[in-house]
Amino acid sequence: MKPNTQHGLLDVQRFETSHWPLAGRAQRQFKLILIRAGYGYHRINGNQFPYRSGDIFFLGPVDSHSFLIDQPTSFCVLTFTELYLSRLSASGQEAWPQLSDQGQLVSQPFVGSIVSNTTEQQHLSALVDMVQAEQFNHGHLLANPIVESLMKTIVSLVDRQLARHPMQLPTPKNASPSLIRRMGAYICHHITQPDRLRIDRMADVFHYSQSHLSALFKQQAGESIQQYIIRYKLQLVEARLRLSNMTISQIADEFGFTDICHLNKLFKQRYQTTPTAYRRRVQVSGLIDPTYAHDAFDAV
């Protein structure tokens, strides 16, 4: 079975495929994707991470993604729209700030599975299975109180995982919900493209003078545009060190650092250690899953 492209308020599908036919285009839905079996690579917003059985991915409405499948993979995909989320929230007075933010921003652009704990993976998977069972047995999901209760639990669990996740898009302090959020999304999209992050280029994109844009950002965000970009890049470097086997030189090149020394200096200022020492420490402590560290990253 192949994934379909319907855009209902709420839908759940289960299928197995060896080729992902949807070529990385953004869709105006939230997606919770559970990997039941198989392995390969998840491409999201121009970046690539390996996946395996048990992984769970969450994507916001503006994310663009696809899968490069090495072994035929069984997927379970739960989709819901921003309208459904707002209705769910209104009916139960629930609040899911992380999901709400991801309705506007590119979500989790450089990370893999949102759930690493096996027990939590099983809990979330069981809840999605129950939603699918309701769909199979009753033919519809809306106006179903059991499904509504299940979905509140599911989105609450996802929201909690996103709040825990170290790689959320950094939101500037005291940021307005308009310009600064749009700038944050723009920076996220182009973080590996230094030319697009020049102040003159961003001034053209957002229709401000360079000095006005810089002053406005610093006033509302509490830091300069350059400080924000560096802070975000260092978060992404930290994720690469934990989740990939890329060399320090490759990581420095990917994010546009002048050289390894430049990266080392900035990384040490933030993390009080060098990238090499940080990777060694997390490897020893078991924070890196060795099943993820294979040569596929050389092909990114």
Side-chain angles (χ1 to χ4, degrees):
M1 178 181 176
K2 302 293 184 182
N4 64 43
T5 58
Q6 69 178 26
H7 295 272
L9 294 179
L10 175 65
D11 183 54
V12 60
Q13 305 173 56
R14 186 166 182 167
F15 55 91
E16 182 172 327
T17 184
S18 58
H19 175 68
W20 189 264
L22 305 179
R25 61 191 178 189
Q27 299 184 15
R28 300 300 301 177
Q29 297 172 301
F30 292 99
K31 285 186 179 182
L32 186 67
I33 302 177
L34 296 84
I35 308 298
R36 304 294 199 183
Y39 58 84
Y41 303 93
H42 188 205
R43 293 172 170 171
I44 176 169
N45 301 322
N47 295 272
Q48 179 169 296
F49 284 94
Y51 73 83
R52 61 175 181 174
S53 177
D55 281 349
I56 299 176
F57 301 102
F58 180 75
L59 297 95
V62 298
D63 288 314
S64 179
H65 83 114
S66 63
F67 286 91
L68 178 63
I69 299 170
D70 284 347
Q71 182 186 74
T73 298
S74 176
F75 296 94
C76 185
V77 182
L78 176 70
T79 60
F80 55 95
T81 65
E82 294 173 88
L83 178 58
Y84 178 81
L85 186 64
S86 65
R87 289 182 178 181
L88 197 65
S89 175
S91 66
Q93 301 303 313
E94 299 286 345
W96 302 290
Q98 307 301 324
L99 272 73
S100 298
D101 282 348
Q102 293 194 14
Q104 302 176 49
L105 299 177
V106 176
S107 60
Q108 308 298 313
F110 285 83
V111 298
S113 177
I114 64 167
V115 184
S116 57
N117 181 280
T118 302
T119 300
E120 292 183 337
Q121 288 176 343
Q122 292 172 345
H123 288 168
L124 196 51
S125 179
L127 289 166
V128 174
D129 283 344
M130 285 189 275
V131 173
Q132 187 175 34
E134 286 295 308
Q135 179 175 260
F136 179 80
N137 292 326
H138 301 286
H140 62 86
L141 294 176
L142 301 179
N144 182 323
I146 294 176
V147 170
E148 183 174 300
S149 178
L150 290 168
M151 285 300 300
K152 286 180 181 178
T153 304
I154 288 170
V155 297
S156 294
L157 289 174
V158 170
D159 193 74
R160 185 172 69 184
Q161 291 299 325
L162 296 179
R164 291 175 178 174
H165 210 290
M167 279 312 303
Q168 293 174 349
L169 183 67
T171 303
K173 303 170 186 176
N174 305 317
S176 74
S178 54
L179 174 65
I180 303 303
R181 284 188 179 277
R182 289 188 290 116
M183 289 184 67
Y186 176 90
I187 290 168
C188 172
H189 271 298
H190 302 295
I191 196 66
T192 60
Q193 300 171 283
D195 285 348
R196 290 179 176 267
L197 298 181
R198 298 197 319 264
I199 183 61
D200 60 329
R201 184 71 175 269
M202 286 194 286
D204 288 340
V205 169
F206 293 99
H207 309 294
Y208 284 87
S209 70
Q210 295 180 40
S211 59
H212 190 189
L213 185 66
S214 297
L216 189 61
F217 188 96
K218 187 165 186 178
Q219 178 186 34
Q220 295 187 9
E223 61 185 335
S224 70
I225 294 173
Q226 187 61 28
Q227 288 172 329
Y228 178 83
I229 291 172
I230 291 297
R231 180 164 63 92
Y232 186 34
K233 281 186 177 182
L234 290 175
Q235 286 186 302
L236 302 179
V237 168
E238 188 265 347
R240 285 289 197 252
L241 293 170
R242 287 187 296 107
L243 299 173
S244 84
N245 67 345
M246 294 174 67
T247 67
I248 307 301
S249 178
Q250 288 172 326
I251 295 172
D253 183 65
E254 179 181 17
F255 294 115
F257 293 96
T258 306
D259 51 33
I260 294 178
C261 292
H262 183 213
L263 173 56
N264 283 345
K265 178 181 178 181
L266 293 173
F267 192 90
K268 191 168 185 178
Q269 286 175 353
R270 181 171 179 82
Y271 294 99
Q272 290 75 54
T273 187
T274 65
T276 300
Y278 176 86
R279 171 172 274 171
R280 185 180 302 117
R281 178 170 61 82
V282 295
Q283 284 175 332
V284 169
S285 64
L287 294 177
I288 292 180
D289 187 338
T291 62
Y292 279 126
H294 48 77
D295 294 337
F297 283 95
D298 294 338
V300 175

